[in-house]
Amino acid sequence: MELSKLTPPHDWVYFKRGAANILFKYIGPNDYFFNKLLRIRFSLILEIQLIVLTSEFVSQLDSRGHQLMNNEQYGLLIPNILYDEQLKYVELSKYCQLYYSDNNQVIFEIKPKWLYDNVSTNYCRNCSLSQYRGYQRHFCPLDLLYPETINVALDDIFSAIPQEVLSQISLPIYDLFKRYLQDPQNIFQKLKQYQSKSTQSILNLTSSEDVSEDLSLVMTLRDVGIFIKFEPHTSSEGGDEQHVTELPQGKYNIICNIYDLDLKSNLKYTHWIKVEQELQPIYNSHNENWKYCIRRDKLNQDDSSES
């Protein structure tokens, strides 16, 4: 259905904005659209198409032993970002994977988790959780946010890439990643902005009814994954120019997509509380294998003293 053939744009007015979409309300005379909303995404979420499933179809899928709900009526069709059969895979850490191919394509898959300004603890929530679960330190996601720590974040990320892998990558991948992080509109900055939509304290929750809609959304955004793809740009591609970055070596595409944007149920509040309680002793602890996370209030004080 091509909407422009059925209704003009002025029949739709702004209704509400979410973290990833804008809603428009229909005010025109067409009864078909009465009480309808038009949702248009404005962020970098993977394109999703709702499809209808049958129990027969689901039951015949090879799920490698994983239990599926045979009565599931709907599925989501999404593009395969990792479609290149030549892609090779390196797991850098629990929350960071690298894919690369001989045809000059590099993809980082990152789960940045909680993004915020740390003002009072030795370790941020992400690093505290990783310590609690016994993971080795790789990088602190908060370092991706500030000009003063971008090099620290990249040095930490790239330190886990084997030298033989780096030698196979012909793209100026470090410089491209750095240029992207210097863009104030990069996906990590946007996630940080959207995650600040709720300041509700998890430790103050007493029931599922206490969980606000904003907190459910924020907890969802704290668990999304991100694909960042780097590749050479050619004039014949006709791609979105906002993803084209120019370096002395040439022009390159930098394309980002978000996945795992399933709204968190408010029934998970007991799990959230349990984890947060278990992390309390770690926030201000000292671990010789983990350097302290950046305190943004310290940076602000330094900025003020220099001005």
Side-chain angles (χ1 to χ4, degrees), residues 98-294:
L98 172 69
Y99 304 85
Y100 65 101
S101 67
D102 296 333
N103 61 358
N104 288 340
Q105 185 180 94
V106 177
I107 301 173
F108 283 93
E109 181 180 0
I110 295 176
K111 276 207 164 189
K113 295 294 187 175
W114 296 41
L115 297 174
Y116 62 98
D117 290 328
N118 175 34
V119 298
S120 61
T121 61
N122 293 341
Y123 299 112
C124 70
R125 207 270 186 183
N126 308 304
C127 292
S128 297
L129 182 63
S130 291
Q131 290 183 65
Y132 175 75
R133 291 181 172 170
Y135 303 146
Q136 286 189 334
R137 189 187 187 279
H138 183 202
F139 70 100
C140 175
L142 300 191
D143 286 341
L144 299 167
L145 301 175
Y146 313 116
E148 299 86 346
T149 55
I150 286 177
N151 284 345
V152 174
L154 291 178
D155 288 346
D156 285 343
I157 290 175
F158 277 73
S159 68
I161 304 177
Q163 189 58 46
E164 60 268 24
V165 172
L166 286 173
S167 65
Q168 297 178 51
I169 297 176
S170 59
L171 295 179
I173 190 65
Y174 188 103
D175 292 338
L176 285 171
F177 208 151
K178 181 175 181 178
R179 179 69 66 85
Y180 178 69
L181 293 176
Q182 289 172 334
D183 181 354
Q185 297 300 313
N186 72 65
I187 193 61
F188 301 105
Q189 297 291 351
K190 290 181 179 179
L191 272 179
K192 179 192 174 190
Q193 175 188 349
Y194 297 145
Q195 287 183 16
S196 67
K197 187 176 178 65
S198 173
T199 58
Q200 190 175 11
S201 171
I202 290 175
L203 292 177
N204 291 336
L205 300 175
T206 60
S207 70
S208 59
E209 285 75 22
D210 289 342
V211 181
S212 66
E213 182 178 338
D214 283 345
L215 181 59
S216 292
L217 173 60
V218 166
M219 294 303 290
T220 299
L221 295 174
R222 287 168 173 168
D223 201 33
V224 298
I226 297 173
F227 286 114
I228 307 178
K229 180 166 68 174
F230 303 90
E231 61 186 8
H233 173 77
T234 60
S235 57
S236 60
E237 292 176 24
D240 190 343
E241 287 299 315
Q242 67 176 324
H243 297 312
V244 177
T245 297
E246 187 169 2
L247 294 178
Q249 299 92 323
K251 290 185 178 181
Y252 304 88
N253 292 333
I254 304 177
I255 303 171
C256 299
N257 292 106
I258 299 176
Y259 68 94
D260 260 3
L261 199 66
D262 301 321
L263 189 65
K264 299 295 184 185
S265 168
N266 58 359
L267 298 177
K268 297 195 69 173
Y269 84 97
T270 54
H271 171 70
W272 300 340
I273 293 174
K274 179 177 181 293
V275 173
E276 199 60 32
Q277 289 174 336
E278 291 168 341
L279 295 183
Q280 293 305 305
I282 302 178
Y283 281 126
N284 279 306
S285 64
H286 173 73
N287 185 335
E288 61 182 12
N289 296 318
W290 287 71
K291 59 185 177 184
Y292 290 162
C293 300
I294 182 173

Side-chain angles (χ1 to χ4, degrees), residues 64-124:
R64 303 290 177 91
H66 297 285
Q67 186 65 36
L68 296 176
M69 295 176 57
N70 288 341
N71 61 347
E72 181 61 72
Q73 298 181 349
Y74 301 102
L76 298 175
L77 202 62
I78 63 175
N80 181 9
I81 298 296
L82 307 174
Y83 63 88
D84 191 339
E85 295 182 355
Q86 299 181 20
L87 280 177
K88 304 168 188 176
Y89 166 77
V90 179
E91 181 167 332
L92 305 181
S93 61
K94 174 66 176 178
Y95 301 119
C96 184
Q97 288 78 43
L98 172 69
Y99 304 85
Y100 65 101
S101 67
D102 296 333
N103 61 358
N104 288 340
Q105 185 180 94
V106 177
I107 301 173
F108 283 93
E109 181 180 0
I110 295 176
K111 276 207 164 189
K113 295 294 187 175
W114 296 41
L115 297 174
Y116 62 98
D117 290 328
N118 175 34
V119 298
S120 61
T121 61
N122 293 341
Y123 299 112
C124 70

Side-chain angles (χ1 to χ4, degrees), residues 7 11-13 24-30 33-37:
T7 170
D11 282 349
W12 299 89
V13 297
F24 296 87
K25 180 174 68 172
Y26 184 71
I27 58 171
N30 191 326
F33 295 108
F34 175 73
N35 207 25
K36 295 289 195 304
L37 294 174

Side-chain angles (χ1 to χ4, degrees), residues 12-23:
W12 299 89
V13 297
Y14 176 86
F15 178 70
K16 190 177 181 181
R17 166 182 167 163
N21 304 279
I22 294 181
L23 293 175

